[in-house]
Amino acid sequence: MPQSTPLFSAESYFSTQLPPSSLEHDIAGVKEFVRRQKEERRTVVLVTSGGTTVPLELNVVRFLDNFSAGTRGATSAEYFLKAGYAVIFMHRQFSLQPFSRHYSHSTNPFLDFLEIERGTDQLSPVASDSSPESSQICVTPSKRKHLLEILTAYKAVYAAGTLHTLTFVTVNDYLWLLRAVSQELSVLRRKAMYYLAAAVSDFFLPRQKMSEHKIQSGKGSLHIEMDQVPKILKPMVDDWTGKDGFIVSFKLETDPALLVPKAQTSLQRYGHQVVIGNDLNRRKFEVVFISRKEALTSASEGTSFESTPPYAEFWLKIDPHDPSKEIEEDIVAELVKRHEVWIAGAEAPIN
Ligand code: PAZ
């Protein structure tokens, strides 16, 4: 009979898988950032963004990847900043980032909207002088207004010091970072929001089962048995954030019929605040918020957790043909309102 591998709990995962080498350094930066935001009495949101990889070898040549460009996370981070939040932006290395996302190399390469103005050669006034000293680089006039808006917002955020960026690549990096950042952020109690938009692998290969070197071909097909990534939302709600954090998870499905039931199950199982469901092909113009009904009225009212609580289903839709509108603007506005209710419901005042 084939032996079934025991499931990893969060605890057994962290006691058997190694932390990334940069973890201590990264967390020192987060600690300082959170200390400053607390001093300045800001609300802080952790935004996770982009897909995680699952390496197949210790000296990694091949890996599985999760779908996500990082658009949802990077765009939402900008709207949270605009709403006055400080943002810890934890993203997959090289995925989209707030502000620079507008000039992604594939959709809007920045070289395409720069122009060169050449000076005239003093000795031969008809020939243009191509030396760097007499050339100027300028922005194509039609692109100036938009660039000026983005640049102004970007510079203001950096001057205020309200954006802190962290990167992950593998699902292991992600899990270690998520736990450590959540624990640091928990000092803000209800003033911390956790917005988990990253696309995280459900399966992984524990390092104890990985081949050290590149897997060799020549033996026919490849069979790999992967373990399930531990479900971390429960320890995140109960332990890492001390039940105080406002936690929003995302659920991506490709079968629209599964979206609402799966989001409800997730909420019931982990007891956090909101699950945002999105269908792969409609995610840019339609999402559904699933939350417990009583949480919507006032967080201070009795919120006893029933085994089958009634769920509120709230759809956000935008016109798919309006390129000037981003659904993240509405998602963030709705969450900011709900977070205010959550903060107001704290038993003791929060600084
Ligand atoms: O990054 P992106 O804009 O291309 O996609 C966003 C998303 C679909 C990955 C995100 O909205 C999401 O659903 N994240 C959670 C995925 C999951 O169920 O693991």
Side-chain angles (χ1 to χ4, degrees), residues 49-50 66-73 196-200 250-253 276 278 280 283-284 328:
S49 181
N66 250 67
F67 155 87
S68 169
T71 313
R72 174 81 81 223
L196 310 177
V200 183
F250 278 79
K251 179 133 294 286
L252 174 68
E253 292 297 337
I276 301 183
N278 50 176
L280 179 69
R283 70 189 192 285
K284 295 209 189 265
E328 287 79 6

Side-chain angles (χ1 to χ4, degrees), residues 5 8 56 204-211 225-227:
T5 332
F8 274 94
L56 301 186
F204 81 115
L205 205 53
R207 53 178 295 106
Q208 293 77 1
K209 286 190 184 172
M210 267 190 228
S211 144
E225 192 191 19
M226 295 190 146
D227 288 49

Side-chain angles (χ1 to χ4, degrees), residues 7-60:
L7 288 182
F8 274 94
S9 63
E11 207 176 317
S12 62
Y13 181 92
F14 290 113
S15 62
T16 55
Q17 307 303 304
L18 296 179
S21 56
S22 57
L23 186 69
E24 248 180 66
H25 173 264
D26 284 348
I27 294 310
V30 170
K31 197 187 264 301
E32 173 51 24
F33 182 78
V34 172
R35 188 199 60 72
R36 199 156 32 80
Q37 305 310 329
K38 189 167 190 243
E39 207 170 270
E40 293 171 18
R41 293 171 173 258
R42 285 202 186 88
T43 33
V44 180
V45 58
L46 166 67
V47 175
T48 72
S49 181
T52 61
T53 70
V54 174
L56 301 186
E57 298 123 341
L58 287 172
N59 289 289
V60 56

